[in-house]
Amino acid sequence: MTTFSGGRHLPCARHLFDIPDAVAYFNTASLAPTLRTGLSAGEASLRNRAQPWKITSEDWFTAAERRRELFADVIGARADDIALISATSYGIATAAPTRT
């Protein structure tokens, strides 16, 4: 374990990533390694997208609602306070006031 400010311990999380024991990787501010769970989720998503005719509207909305709930829980908000949008530029254009 590593001790950091305040005397609390930060447990080793190396097993959460696909980093060989012989590698010491410190460039996480530029390009962080992907969590193993993220890699698995991404692979599952790509497998799903490989056969898009099997994706239903229920699949889209159920997953989005679950993400809103999870994120709201992380920040102490309600799911209704969270908006998901397809792209940052579209979100800004949607939220920005228009001039008349």
Side-chain angles (χ1 to χ4, degrees):
M1 286 196 187
T2 303
T3 303
F4 63 97
S5 179
R8 295 178 294 168
H9 293 281
L10 181 63
C12 180
R14 187 179 191 97
H15 66 283
L16 301 175
F17 302 90
D18 187 15
I19 303 173
D21 289 338
V23 172
Y25 185 77
F26 299 105
N27 193 21
T28 58
S30 175
L31 184 61
T34 301
L35 286 162
R36 291 179 191 267
T37 54
L39 185 58
S40 294
E43 289 170 343
S45 180
L46 286 172
R47 281 191 297 275
N48 192 36
R49 291 287 305 260
Q51 298 178 337
W53 56 91
K54 292 183 177 181
I55 301 172
T56 67
S57 58
E58 177 79 15
D59 296 326
W60 288 102
F61 297 113
T62 301
E65 287 305 310
R66 183 66 181 135
R67 285 180 185 88
R68 284 171 15 118
E69 292 168 3
L70 290 169
F71 184 70
D73 191 45
V74 167
I75 65 169
R78 296 173 303 124
D80 288 344
D81 297 329
I82 308 301
L84 296 178
I85 203 148
S86 60
T88 303
S89 58
Y90 183 67
I92 291 170
T94 301
T98 57
R99 294 180 186 227
T100 56

